[in-house]
Amino acid sequence: HLISVNLHLPSTLSKFIERLNVSRFKDYDIVIAHSTTGAHLAKLAQKKYGIPYIAVWHGSDINYTPLESKYKFNEVKSYVSNAACNVYVSKALKNTSESLFGEHENCVIYNGVDDIFKPIENKVHVRKKNNCDDRTVIAFVGGLLAVKKLNSNLLKRK
Protein backbone atom coordinates (compact mmCIF):
# COMPACT_ATOMS: atom_id res chain seq x y z
CA HIS A 1 0.00 0.00 0.00
CA LEU A 2 2.74 2.45 0.94
CA ILE A 3 4.67 1.82 -2.28
CA SER A 4 1.77 1.67 -4.75
CA VAL A 5 -0.72 4.15 -3.25
CA ASN A 6 1.37 6.67 -1.33
CA LEU A 7 4.47 6.70 -3.53
CA HIS A 8 2.66 5.82 -6.79
CA LEU A 9 5.29 3.25 -7.74
CA PRO A 10 4.93 -0.38 -8.81
CA SER A 11 5.61 -2.89 -6.08
CA THR A 12 7.39 -6.23 -6.37
CA LEU A 13 4.43 -8.00 -4.80
CA SER A 14 2.04 -6.60 -7.40
CA LYS A 15 4.36 -7.84 -10.16
CA PHE A 16 4.18 -11.34 -8.67
CA ILE A 17 0.37 -11.21 -8.48
CA GLU A 18 0.20 -9.94 -12.08
CA ARG A 19 2.20 -12.91 -13.35
CA LEU A 20 -0.16 -15.28 -11.56
CA ASN A 21 -3.32 -13.65 -12.93
CA VAL A 22 -2.47 -12.71 -16.51
CA SER A 23 -2.58 -16.37 -17.60
CA ARG A 24 -6.31 -16.41 -16.81
CA PHE A 25 -6.91 -14.41 -19.99
CA LYS A 26 -5.04 -16.64 -22.45
CA ASP A 27 -8.14 -18.39 -23.87
CA TYR A 28 -10.20 -15.23 -24.48
CA ASP A 29 -10.61 -13.28 -27.72
CA ILE A 30 -10.94 -9.84 -26.13
CA VAL A 31 -10.79 -8.33 -22.66
CA ILE A 32 -12.97 -5.47 -21.45
CA ALA A 33 -11.12 -3.75 -18.64
CA HIS A 34 -12.47 -1.27 -16.12
CA SER A 35 -10.25 1.43 -14.68
CA THR A 36 -6.47 1.37 -14.28
CA THR A 37 -6.17 -1.96 -12.46
CA GLY A 38 -8.19 -3.77 -15.10
CA ALA A 39 -6.41 -1.99 -17.93
CA HIS A 40 -3.06 -2.95 -16.44
CA LEU A 41 -3.87 -6.67 -16.47
CA ALA A 42 -5.51 -6.39 -19.91
CA LYS A 43 -2.40 -4.72 -21.32
CA LEU A 44 -0.24 -7.52 -19.90
CA ALA A 45 -2.53 -10.09 -21.54
CA GLN A 46 -2.28 -8.17 -24.80
CA LYS A 47 1.50 -8.19 -24.62
CA LYS A 48 1.79 -11.86 -23.65
CA TYR A 49 -1.02 -13.41 -25.73
CA GLY A 50 -1.88 -10.80 -28.37
CA ILE A 51 -5.41 -10.34 -26.97
CA PRO A 52 -6.90 -6.90 -27.70
CA TYR A 53 -8.58 -4.99 -24.90
CA ILE A 54 -11.22 -2.31 -24.50
CA ALA A 55 -10.65 0.07 -21.59
CA VAL A 56 -13.63 1.65 -19.81
CA TRP A 57 -12.84 4.95 -18.09
CA HIS A 58 -14.62 6.96 -15.42
CA GLY A 59 -13.84 10.49 -14.26
CA SER A 60 -11.20 9.91 -11.60
CA ASP A 61 -9.27 7.54 -13.90
CA ILE A 62 -8.63 10.41 -16.32
CA ASN A 63 -9.21 13.59 -14.31
CA TYR A 64 -7.14 12.72 -11.22
CA THR A 65 -4.99 9.58 -11.46
CA PRO A 66 -2.67 10.82 -14.26
CA LEU A 67 -1.99 14.00 -12.28
CA GLU A 68 -0.83 12.16 -9.15
CA SER A 69 2.69 11.59 -10.49
CA LYS A 70 4.69 11.33 -13.69
CA TYR A 71 4.68 7.56 -13.24
CA LYS A 72 0.84 7.47 -13.05
CA PHE A 73 0.55 9.79 -16.06
CA ASN A 74 2.75 7.52 -18.20
CA GLU A 75 0.96 4.43 -16.91
CA VAL A 76 -2.53 5.68 -17.84
CA LYS A 77 -1.25 7.05 -21.16
CA SER A 78 0.12 3.60 -21.96
CA TYR A 79 -3.22 1.93 -21.18
CA VAL A 80 -5.15 4.42 -23.29
CA SER A 81 -2.70 4.25 -26.20
CA ASN A 82 -2.61 0.44 -26.34
CA ALA A 83 -6.35 -0.19 -26.03
CA ALA A 84 -8.23 -1.30 -29.14
CA CYS A 85 -10.90 1.15 -27.99
CA ASN A 86 -11.40 3.43 -24.99
CA VAL A 87 -14.93 3.86 -23.65
CA TYR A 88 -15.68 7.07 -21.77
CA VAL A 89 -18.75 7.91 -19.67
CA SER A 90 -19.00 11.42 -21.11
CA LYS A 91 -17.83 13.47 -24.06
CA ALA A 92 -16.08 15.86 -21.65
CA LEU A 93 -14.06 12.95 -20.23
CA LYS A 94 -13.12 11.81 -23.73
CA ASN A 95 -12.00 15.34 -24.57
CA THR A 96 -9.91 15.55 -21.38
CA SER A 97 -8.28 12.23 -22.22
CA GLU A 98 -7.46 13.37 -25.74
CA SER A 99 -6.01 16.64 -24.44
CA LEU A 100 -3.77 14.68 -22.05
CA PHE A 101 -2.80 11.70 -24.20
CA GLY A 102 -3.55 12.69 -27.80
CA GLU A 103 -6.10 11.17 -30.16
CA HIS A 104 -6.88 7.49 -29.83
CA GLU A 105 -9.63 4.99 -30.61
CA ASN A 106 -12.64 5.85 -28.47
CA CYS A 107 -16.37 6.09 -28.00
CA VAL A 108 -18.69 7.60 -25.41
CA ILE A 109 -21.35 5.68 -23.51
CA TYR A 110 -23.23 7.98 -21.21
CA ASN A 111 -24.28 6.96 -17.74
CA GLY A 112 -25.26 8.71 -14.56
CA VAL A 113 -27.62 11.57 -13.87
CA ASP A 114 -27.74 14.03 -16.75
CA ASP A 115 -30.07 15.07 -19.57
CA ILE A 116 -30.66 11.45 -20.56
CA PHE A 117 -30.91 9.79 -17.15
CA LYS A 118 -32.88 11.65 -14.50
CA PRO A 119 -33.51 10.93 -10.83
CA ILE A 120 -37.00 9.53 -10.28
CA GLU A 121 -39.30 8.62 -7.44
CA ASN A 122 -40.13 5.06 -8.50
CA LYS A 123 -40.85 2.74 -11.40
CA VAL A 124 -44.63 3.29 -11.30
CA HIS A 125 -44.14 7.06 -11.65
CA VAL A 126 -41.90 6.60 -14.70
CA ARG A 127 -44.27 4.18 -16.40
CA LYS A 128 -47.25 6.49 -15.89
CA LYS A 129 -45.44 9.70 -16.89
CA ASN A 130 -43.97 8.19 -20.07
CA ASN A 131 -46.87 5.91 -20.98
CA CYS A 132 -44.62 2.86 -21.11
CA ASP A 133 -46.47 0.17 -19.20
CA ASP A 134 -45.22 -2.52 -21.57
CA ARG A 135 -41.54 -1.50 -21.49
CA THR A 136 -38.64 -2.27 -19.22
CA VAL A 137 -37.58 0.43 -16.78
CA ILE A 138 -33.91 0.39 -15.81
CA ALA A 139 -32.67 1.85 -12.54
CA PHE A 140 -29.23 3.41 -12.26
CA VAL A 141 -27.31 3.03 -9.04
CA GLY A 142 -24.35 5.31 -8.53
CA GLY A 143 -22.55 7.40 -6.00
CA LEU A 144 -23.79 10.90 -5.32
CA LEU A 145 -20.37 12.29 -4.46
CA ALA A 146 -19.15 15.83 -4.92
CA VAL A 147 -16.37 14.54 -7.20
CA LYS A 148 -19.10 13.38 -9.60
CA LYS A 149 -19.99 17.07 -10.17
CA LEU A 150 -23.68 16.38 -9.77
CA ASN A 151 -26.10 19.25 -9.41
CA SER A 152 -26.12 20.21 -5.71
CA ASN A 153 -29.93 20.00 -5.67
CA LEU A 154 -29.68 16.27 -6.38
CA LEU A 155 -27.50 15.78 -3.33
CA LYS A 156 -30.18 17.41 -1.12
CA ARG A 157 -32.97 15.09 -2.27
CA LYS A 158 -34.39 12.69 0.28
Side-chain angles (χ1 to χ4, degrees):
H1 179 80
L2 174 66
I3 293 170
S4 64
V5 175
N6 294 0
L7 300 177
H8 309 292
L9 298 169
S11 72
T12 306
L13 181 60
S14 68
K15 296 280 186 201
F16 176 72
I17 293 169
E18 290 164 7
R19 280 187 235 116
L20 289 175
N21 285 298
V22 75
S23 64
R24 294 179 179 200
F25 299 107
K26 68 181 174 184
D27 294 324
Y28 290 91
D29 298 318
I30 192 164
V31 175
I32 299 175
H34 179 262
S35 199
T36 54
T37 303
H40 181 72
L41 281 174
K43 184 179 170 209
L44 291 174
Q46 178 193 47
K47 185 176 180 180
K48 187 168 184 174
Y49 302 111
I51 303 166
Y53 69 93
I54 296 170
V56 180
W57 302 108
H58 290 266
S60 59
D61 302 323
I62 302 300
N63 292 322
Y64 301 109
T65 301
L67 306 179
E68 290 176 356
S69 70
K70 186 173 183 173
Y71 172 79
K72 289 285 186 177
F73 178 89
N74 290 331
E75 181 182 50
V76 176
K77 181 178 182 177
S78 174
Y79 304 149
V80 168
S81 300
N82 286 285
C85 185
N86 293 278
V87 178
Y88 298 97
V89 296
S90 72
K91 189 172 183 180
L93 189 62
K94 175 191 83 79
N95 292 341
T96 299
S97 181
E98 287 183 339
S99 71
L100 288 171
F101 309 123
E103 289 191 25
H104 46 270
E105 288 297 319
N106 64 66
C107 68
V108 175
I109 297 177
Y110 295 98
N111 72 2
V113 179
D114 56 21
D115 293 336
I116 298 170
F117 298 97
K118 300 179 183 190
I120 56 169
E121 297 293 324
N122 60 47
K123 175 169 77 170
V124 174
H125 172 75
V126 169
R127 289 181 187 277
K128 184 176 180 181
K129 181 179 175 184
N130 295 294
N131 193 24
C132 61
D133 289 329
D134 61 340
R135 296 194 181 164
T136 301
V137 176
I138 301 170
F140 167 79
V141 178
L144 297 177
L145 305 171
V147 72
K148 300 295 184 184
K149 298 180 184 158
L150 291 172
N151 181 318
S152 61
N153 292 330
L154 293 175
L155 297 175
K156 294 175 187 173
R157 291 184 70 141
K158 293 183 180 185

